């Protein structure tokens, strides 16, 4: 049994463009409908038509319930708004309301929370933890934000811990008057002032001095986030397509997950050519030559057209190419399975249309390979 | 042969949603620039090593080197651009007192907003200003980060009141805002999310920055599998196919036709957006194959056809 079926936290990761958001939503639908669970899916930026279909109209941290008809399970979906989430977080970890206000009104705060130490990644983990702490759901699925490097998401909480312990932060929060007397700091501040201007550097140090007063709150919270992610409660799903780039990333990610002792629930090979279909097509192509198929086509089409030979030729050409692609994909699936070292490599077949509603989400099949 | 106006610019940022093939398109553009007789620099902005893999070589370095005849490639790193920056712009006596670079680097990368971006974009503009190359093509940041990058000089000069960086943001802005020299190439695939992001990004760049869009590229456009005139007959065939020998292969073609129809809808939307901004729309066919280098070769030809 995969940890995916028992976990109360599911983290979906993978490189950009592989369908993480769709797979996250589909996993949520599956847990709600198949297992009758109460599910929360936290997502970053769902496709507009899917968001509309699910009733997600507002931007912000609001959670909405999706109508599943008379199902026993429940599906709730929430967006992750980085800015709003940071504001909430600051209020939570600041030693006083006064500090929280000072931090959120600092001119650098907005700029820094948008990009500072992978803040999107950090917030995704934070929201997951918050939902877990608050309880009320059987399963929380989080769709991780598009990151330059998928591993950044996993390391975000630790990175924040490291930042609080770093020399850099201590250095930046040295009381201003001792800059001049500090021999170690002097050359740095001379050059930095020259390049950035004295005022800017002052603002930065002011901000970090404030930020540092939240250290205790941040550190305690982060330790708990890491604990939960390493516990049996959490399960990680790696999504990939069977193209070289995403596969490369997926292998790397799987190794990194194992290194960090995170539990891997499943690997999903998304948009794969259905191997059973490819096998069947290959068998048909071997057993029937162009002639036989032309005759069959002519019979099906009747006397309405003389294009049967052309159509059959096209069909055969395309089908042969797809069978070839499927063969390449199969080799990659096998090597992915070996790399994953998990029981579950799932396959979600290539589709002709965009996923734009609940019915389509429901129809996403996860098939063990 | 006249050179396409896209390649007459001096600095092209190639961006798009993650996974759409920015790197491959950057390489194809660079190769076309070389064919047009341009001294070309191709820049990788992150350390994924994807660009190096496409040239079958080991990792690229900050120091550009010729990876193919006429095509130079480098990798941008904060550390080395900072080093070069200090060497070029900060007076010598000061540099000798800086001490370990690590601390400044740490500061720049983690704490000072916009400084990392301006170092990178500054290096690119420097190459343009010094005319070391005819064209600099950047495999840039994904949609979420590109604005912070191309607009770094403006953002920073809003935050910083005095200092060397503020003075320098002026000449960088001159290059970045000059539509004759600089432009952003937005790459998408004909799929829903990348197309939405493309629209959002172009709007954002046009509203918030003074950098211009240079082209919209549709990558991995599904090919035509069946001629228009045969589609009706094919559908008849499909309706009657259950149980016939043709059924399974015909289903695969049906899937391809559906994908193509979905893609056509998205391509129309991309072409309309390009048209609205008055920039070229380049439609590049999907290329199958196990080897990425073969795929990029085919993509280069596909781009060449679109540019001629």
């Amino acid at each position: 049994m995969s940890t995916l079926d028992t976990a109360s936290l599911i983290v979906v990761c993978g490189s950009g463009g592989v369908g993480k958001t769709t797979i996250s939503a589909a996993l949520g639908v599956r847990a709600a409908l198949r297992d009758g669970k109460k599910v929360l899916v936290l997502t970053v930026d769902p496709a507009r038509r899917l968001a509309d279909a699910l009733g997600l109209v507002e931007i912000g941290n609001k959670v909405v319930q999706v109508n599943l008809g008379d199902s026993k399970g429940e599906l709730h979906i929430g967006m992750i708004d980085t800015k709003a989430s940071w504001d909430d977080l600051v209020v939570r970890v600041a030693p006083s309301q006064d500090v929280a206000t000072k931090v959120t009104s600092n001119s650098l705060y907005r700029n820094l929370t948008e990009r500072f130490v992978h803040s999107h990644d950090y917030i995704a983990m934070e929201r997951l933890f918050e939902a877990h702490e608050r309880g009320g759901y059987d399963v929380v699925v989080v769709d991780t934000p598009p990151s330059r490097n998928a591993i950044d998401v996993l390391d975000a909480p630790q990175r924040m811990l490291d930042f609080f312990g770093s020399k850099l932060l201590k250095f930046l929060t040295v009381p201003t008057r001792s800059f001049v007397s500090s021999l170690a700091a002097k050359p740095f501040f001379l050059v930095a002032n020259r390049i950035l201007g004295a005022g800017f550097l002052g603002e930065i140090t002011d901000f970090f001095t404030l930020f540092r007063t939240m250290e205790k709150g941040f550190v305690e919270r982060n330790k708990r986030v890491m604990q939960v992610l390493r516990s049996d409660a959490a399960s990680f799903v790696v999504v990939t397509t069977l193209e070289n780039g995403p596969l490369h990333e997926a292998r790397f990610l799987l190794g990194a997950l194992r290194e960090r002792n995170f539990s891997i629930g499943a690997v999903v090979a998304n948009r794969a050519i259905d191997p059973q279909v490819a096998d069947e097509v290959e068998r048909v192509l071997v057993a029937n030559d162009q002639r036989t198929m032309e005759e069959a086509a002519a019979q099906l089409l009747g006397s309405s057209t003389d294009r049967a030979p052309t159509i059959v030729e096209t069909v055969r050409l395309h089908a042969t190419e797809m069978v070839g692609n499927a063969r390449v994909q199969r080799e990659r699936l096998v090597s992915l399975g070996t790399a994953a070292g998990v029981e579950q490599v799932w396959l979600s077949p290539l589709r002709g249309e965009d996923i734009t509603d609940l019915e389509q989400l429901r129809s996403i099949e996860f098939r063990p390979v | 042969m006249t050179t396409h106006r896209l390649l007459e610019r001096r600095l092209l940022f190639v961006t798009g949603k993650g996974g759409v093939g920015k790197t491959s398109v950057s390489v194809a553009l660079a190769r076309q620039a070389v064919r047009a007789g341009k001294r070309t620099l191709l820049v990788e902005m992150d350390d994924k090593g994807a660009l190096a893999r496409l040239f079958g070589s080991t990792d690229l370095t900050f120091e550009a080197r010729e990876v193919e005849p006429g095509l130079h490639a480098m990798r941008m790193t904060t550390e080395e651009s900072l080093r070069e920056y200090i060497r070029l712009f900060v007076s010598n006596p000061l540099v000798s007192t800086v001490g370990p670079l690590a601390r400044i680097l740490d500061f720049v990368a983690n704490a000072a907003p916009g400084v990392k971006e301006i170092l990178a974009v500054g290096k690119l503009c420097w190459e343009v200003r010094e005319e070391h190359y005819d064209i600099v093509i950047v495999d840039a940041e994904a949609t979420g980060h590109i604005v912070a990058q191309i607009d770094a000089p403006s953002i920073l000069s809003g935050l910083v009141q005095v200092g060397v960086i503020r003075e320098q943001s002026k000449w960088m802005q001159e290059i970045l805002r000059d539509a004759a020299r600089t432009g952003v190439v937005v790459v998408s695939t004909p799929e829903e999310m990348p197309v939405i992001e493309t629209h959002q990004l172009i709007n954002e760049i046009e509203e918030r920055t003074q950098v211009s869009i240079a082209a919209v590229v549709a990558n991995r456009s599904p090919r035509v599998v069946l001629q228009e005139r045969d589609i009706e007959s094919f559908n008849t065939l499909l309706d009657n196919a259950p149980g016939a020998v043709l059924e399974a292969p015909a289903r695969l073609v049906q899937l391809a036709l559906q994908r193509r129809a979905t893609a056509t809808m998205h391509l129309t939307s991309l072409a309309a957006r390009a048209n609205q901004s008055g920039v070229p729309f380049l439609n590049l066919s999907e290329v199958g194959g196990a080897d990425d280098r073969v795929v990029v070769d085919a993509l280069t030809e596909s781009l060449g056809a679109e540019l001629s």
Side-chain angles (χ1 to χ4, degrees):
Chain A
M1 195 183 207
S2 161
T3 55
L4 201 58
D5 293 317
T6 52
S8 55
L9 285 175
I10 297 173
V11 184
V12 181
C13 36
S15 63
V18 296
K20 273 195 298 285
T21 303
T22 308
I23 295 295
S24 304
L27 283 171
V29 170
R30 178 175 176 267
L33 290 179
R34 196 196 68 170
D35 309 332
K37 287 179 174 167
K38 186 175 175 190
V39 184
L40 170 66
V41 176
L42 290 171
T43 182
V44 185
D45 191 13
R48 194 62 37 80
R49 283 186 291 159
L50 180 59
D52 287 347
L54 298 177
L56 267 179
V57 276
E58 282 172 72
I59 309 277
N61 280 330
K62 234 181 96 187
V63 170
V64 296
Q65 184 170 0
V66 178
N67 184 359
L68 291 183
D70 52 6
S71 155
K72 187 168 145 275
E74 284 178 27
L75 178 64
H76 301 255
I77 297 197
M79 296 260 281
I80 300 176
D81 177 325
T82 306
K83 164 105 180 54
S85 302
W86 263 103
D87 292 351
D88 290 352
L89 179 62
V90 165
V91 169
R92 223 171 286 131
V93 296
S96 68
Q97 179 57 44
D98 183 47
V99 171
T101 314
K102 270 192 191 147
V103 170
T104 50
S105 59
N106 185 290
S107 63
L108 290 176
Y109 168 74
R110 183 71 206 275
N111 206 306
L112 280 167
T113 48
E114 271 185 8
R115 48 173 294 279
F116 159 73
V117 238
H118 302 274
S119 75
H120 294 272
D121 303 333
Y122 181 74
I123 279 299
M125 293 292 117
E126 165 63 31
R127 286 288 306 274
L128 178 77
F129 175 72
E130 191 217 319
H132 177 77
E133 284 285 278
R134 196 181 287 169
Y137 297 99
D138 301 321
V139 183
V140 182
V141 182
V142 69
D143 164 27
T144 56
S147 238
R148 186 192 286 177
N149 196 328
I151 214 73
D152 286 343
V153 185
L154 309 178
D155 288 343
Q158 186 59 46
R159 197 174 277 123
M160 187 64 89
L161 281 180
D162 292 346
F163 182 70
F164 274 108
S166 70
K167 279 188 183 150
L168 175 66
L169 188 62
K170 295 202 176 69
F171 189 66
L172 283 177
T173 52
V174 171
T176 322
R177 54 185 150 57
S178 46
F179 282 178
V180 195
S181 55
S182 161
L183 271 177
K186 207 172 171 187
F188 168 78
F189 284 102
L190 267 176
V191 174
N193 272 341
R194 171 88 193 276
I195 298 176
L196 298 171
F200 187 50
L201 196 61
E203 276 176 47
I204 292 176
T205 52
D206 284 352
F207 176 78
F208 284 106
T209 306
L210 262 176
F211 195 73
R212 211 178 163 187
T213 63
M214 303 190 291
E215 175 167 1
K216 199 160 165 268
F218 261 110
V219 168
E220 273 169 17
R221 217 175 149 77
N222 265 317
K223 284 193 175 142
R224 279 156 62 207
V225 173
M226 294 305 287
Q227 248 168 24
V228 170
L229 291 179
R230 291 221 170 87
S231 72
D232 293 340
S235 182
F236 288 74
V237 174
V238 175
V239 184
T240 182
T241 60
L242 293 171
E243 295 159 310
N244 275 329
L247 271 175
H248 187 83
E249 188 98 342
R251 282 196 203 99
F252 179 71
L253 195 52
L254 285 164
L257 284 167
R258 265 202 303 273
E259 225 170 75
R260 286 160 181 74
N261 286 319
F262 290 140
S263 149
I264 303 165
V267 180
V268 179
N270 197 16
R271 298 188 203 128
I273 301 166
D274 193 326
Q276 282 161 7
V277 173
D279 283 347
E280 169 65 8
V281 171
E282 190 172 12
R283 197 187 56 74
V284 170
L285 289 175
V286 170
N288 303 277
D289 60 4
Q290 165 89 15
R291 239 341 250 287
T292 325
M293 287 174 95
E294 268 177 36
E295 280 163 17
Q299 218 170 22
L300 295 176
L301 286 172
S303 55
S304 62
T305 174
D306 59 353
R307 302 281 296 165
T310 321
I311 295 176
V312 167
E313 200 187 338
T314 309
V315 168
R316 288 182 63 95
L317 261 174
H318 180 77
T320 307
E321 195 185 321
M322 293 298 271
V323 167
N325 291 347
R327 201 172 294 137
V328 172
Q329 289 194 353
R330 191 169 324 199
E331 283 162 23
R332 290 177 178 173
L333 264 175
V334 170
S335 94
L336 183 66
T338 316
V342 289
E343 307 157 48
Q344 308 230 19
V345 178
W346 286 353
L347 185 141
S348 162
L350 180 72
R351 311 167 67 101
E353 74 286 318
D354 297 324
I355 306 278
T356 55
D357 61 30
L358 187 64
E359 264 321 298
Q360 285 166 322
L361 271 184
R362 181 187 278 207
S363 73
I364 290 180
E365 301 166 70
F366 293 110
R367 261 184 249 160
V369 176
Chain B
M1 194 184 88
T2 56
T3 305
H4 191 277
R5 65 182 156 121
L6 181 62
L7 300 176
E8 296 293 355
R9 302 203 196 212
R10 312 303 296 264
L11 177 57
L12 290 177
F13 291 90
V14 183
T15 184
K17 181 174 161 57
V20 297
K22 279 187 296 293
T23 304
S24 308
V25 171
S26 304
V27 174
L29 269 170
R31 285 184 176 162
Q32 288 299 338
V34 171
R35 283 189 202 177
K38 309 274 180 194
R39 286 171 302 154
T40 306
L41 175 66
L42 184 56
V43 186
E44 175 167 60
M45 292 302 280
D46 55 31
D47 48 7
K48 272 189 175 173
L51 199 55
R53 276 202 297 279
L54 286 178
F55 290 112
S57 68
T58 48
D59 279 356
L60 297 169
T61 57
F62 188 74
E63 198 67 43
R65 64 186 173 80
E66 199 168 7
V67 287
E68 277 175 15
L71 177 54
H72 301 260
M74 65 165 279
R75 188 183 70 171
M76 184 68 71
T77 67
T78 309
E79 182 174 347
E80 281 166 295
S81 52
L82 178 66
R83 213 182 278 278
E84 184 170 283
Y85 180 85
I86 291 177
R87 185 170 57 77
L88 288 170
F89 297 110
V90 182
S91 68
N92 269 327
L94 273 177
V95 178
S96 58
T97 64
V98 171
L101 196 65
R103 184 175 282 164
I104 299 187
L105 200 73
D106 203 10
F107 170 70
V108 162
N110 289 316
V115 178
K116 184 178 171 188
E117 285 79 5
I118 208 163
L119 282 170
V121 101
K123 162 75 176 170
L124 299 171
C125 290
W126 172 257
E127 295 296 331
V128 172
R129 190 176 84 162
E130 299 298 303
E131 300 189 356
H132 292 144
Y133 300 93
D134 297 318
I135 186 167
V136 177
I137 294 170
V138 189
D139 179 10
E141 302 272 348
T143 36
H145 303 282
I146 183 75
V147 173
Q149 183 152 74
I150 56 174
D151 208 29
S154 314
I155 295 171
L156 207 68
S157 65
L159 286 170
V160 184
Q161 303 312 316
V162 288
V164 181
I165 284 228
R166 185 176 168 88
E167 288 154 32
Q168 281 173 353
S169 58
K170 281 200 200 114
W171 67 261
M172 292 182 198
Q173 276 171 342
E174 255 169 52
I175 291 173
L176 292 168
R177 291 174 177 179
D178 179 1
R181 279 189 285 181
T182 303
V184 179
V185 175
V186 187
V187 184
S188 182
T189 50
E191 296 167 294
E192 188 179 22
M193 278 313 284
V195 171
I196 290 173
E197 280 197 17
T198 299
H199 279 268
Q200 285 170 345
L201 178 69
I202 297 177
N203 293 344
E204 196 183 349
I205 289 178
E206 290 185 340
E207 281 158 24
R208 276 185 46 189
T209 78
Q210 286 173 274
V211 184
S212 59
I213 303 292
V216 176
V217 178
N219 191 26
R220 295 196 209 120
S221 216
R223 278 169 296 167
V224 182
V225 271
L226 206 61
Q227 288 176 48
E228 200 62 43
R229 59 191 274 216
D230 288 332
I231 287 182
E232 207 187 308
S233 304
F234 176 77
N235 285 332
T236 314
L237 190 137
L238 207 59
D239 289 341
N240 301 325
V245 289
L246 271 163
E247 187 183 0
R251 292 277 171 225
L252 277 184
V253 173
Q254 184 192 21
L255 178 66
L257 287 173
Q258 280 170 352
R259 286 190 65 223
R260 165 106 188 140
T262 306
T264 303
M265 177 180 83
H266 296 308
L267 287 172
T268 309
S269 156
L270 287 173
R273 192 60 190 83
N275 193 36
Q276 190 191 328
S277 293
V279 298
F281 171 63
L282 308 168
N283 191 359
L284 309 181
S285 290
E286 187 171 48
V287 196
D291 185 346
D292 285 346
R293 288 161 71 185
V294 177
V295 171
V296 174
D297 288 345
L299 196 66
T300 305
E301 299 314 316
S302 181
L303 179 70
E306 285 284 288
L307 288 176
S308 64

